[in-house]
Amino acid sequence: MVSWSINKPEAGTLTPNNDGKTVTINWAEQFKGEVILTATPTGCDVEGTQYVVNVKNSYDVSENSIAANLYPNPTNGNITIEAAQMQRITVVNALGQVVLDTEVDSDSETLNMSQFGTGVYVIRIVTNNGMVVKSVNVM
């Protein structure tokens, strides 16, 4: 058997599962931040194991809170994407196919859009603060 605890009760509720080993966590809707989840075996003198959990909920993903620029639009070649602390850029064509998915570690990236052909593309920009979606027209 394992007992579970969380260092910030306002983060959510813990519900032990019937197997005696696992727990279901229901995160509080408005909570975000770091919590420490501790699993301690019961009935023995073993110290608990701590897990650091960084909670991001759906309120973190908001187009309104992420400032991102994409230019020139329309384009027939390169576009520049600017957003603070970018982590990933995904380009999706009009058929919903991912034509580019790349990790980045900068505030500015240049992509050669002419390699994908003419059409409208969706650019998904993931940053440390959330995600924003932009469209670009390639001529």
Side-chain angles (χ1 to χ4, degrees):
M1 297 286 291
V2 178
S3 67
W4 296 87
S5 63
I6 193 167
N7 72 323
K8 295 181 182 174
E10 69 274 16
T13 58
L14 304 176
T15 305
N17 294 323
N18 291 334
D19 62 8
K21 300 176 197 173
T22 60
V23 66
T24 299
I25 305 169
N26 295 309
W27 298 112
E29 198 170 289
Q30 297 292 329
F31 182 82
K32 63 180 177 180
E34 189 173 280
V35 296
I36 297 175
L37 177 64
T38 304
T40 307
T42 55
C44 60
D45 292 330
V46 177
E47 288 188 28
T49 301
Q50 292 188 338
Y51 304 93
V52 176
V53 180
N54 189 0
V55 180
K56 288 190 172 187
N57 58 36
S58 62
Y59 292 99
D60 291 337
V61 180
S62 171
E63 185 170 338
N64 298 327
S65 67
I66 308 300
N69 295 312
L70 184 147
Y71 59 88
N73 190 9
T75 186
N76 60 1
N78 290 341
I79 61 165
T80 300
I81 301 169
E82 297 175 338
Q85 301 175 339
M86 282 192 292
Q87 296 177 335
R88 178 174 293 278
I89 296 173
T90 305
V91 179
V92 180
N93 67 17
L95 298 174
Q97 300 165 321
V98 174
V99 295
L100 176 74
D101 185 38
T102 186
E103 290 185 16
V104 295
D105 188 18
S106 68
D107 293 345
S108 179
E109 289 289 322
T110 301
L111 297 180
N112 179 2
M113 294 299 294
S114 65
Q115 67 182 318
F116 307 125
T118 60
V120 177
Y121 294 84
V122 172
I123 312 290
R124 184 173 50 229
I125 306 161
V126 178
T127 74
N128 287 346
N129 297 315
M131 177 183 63
V132 64
V133 176
K134 301 277 187 179
S135 65
V136 63
N137 188 3
V138 179
M139 302 180 353

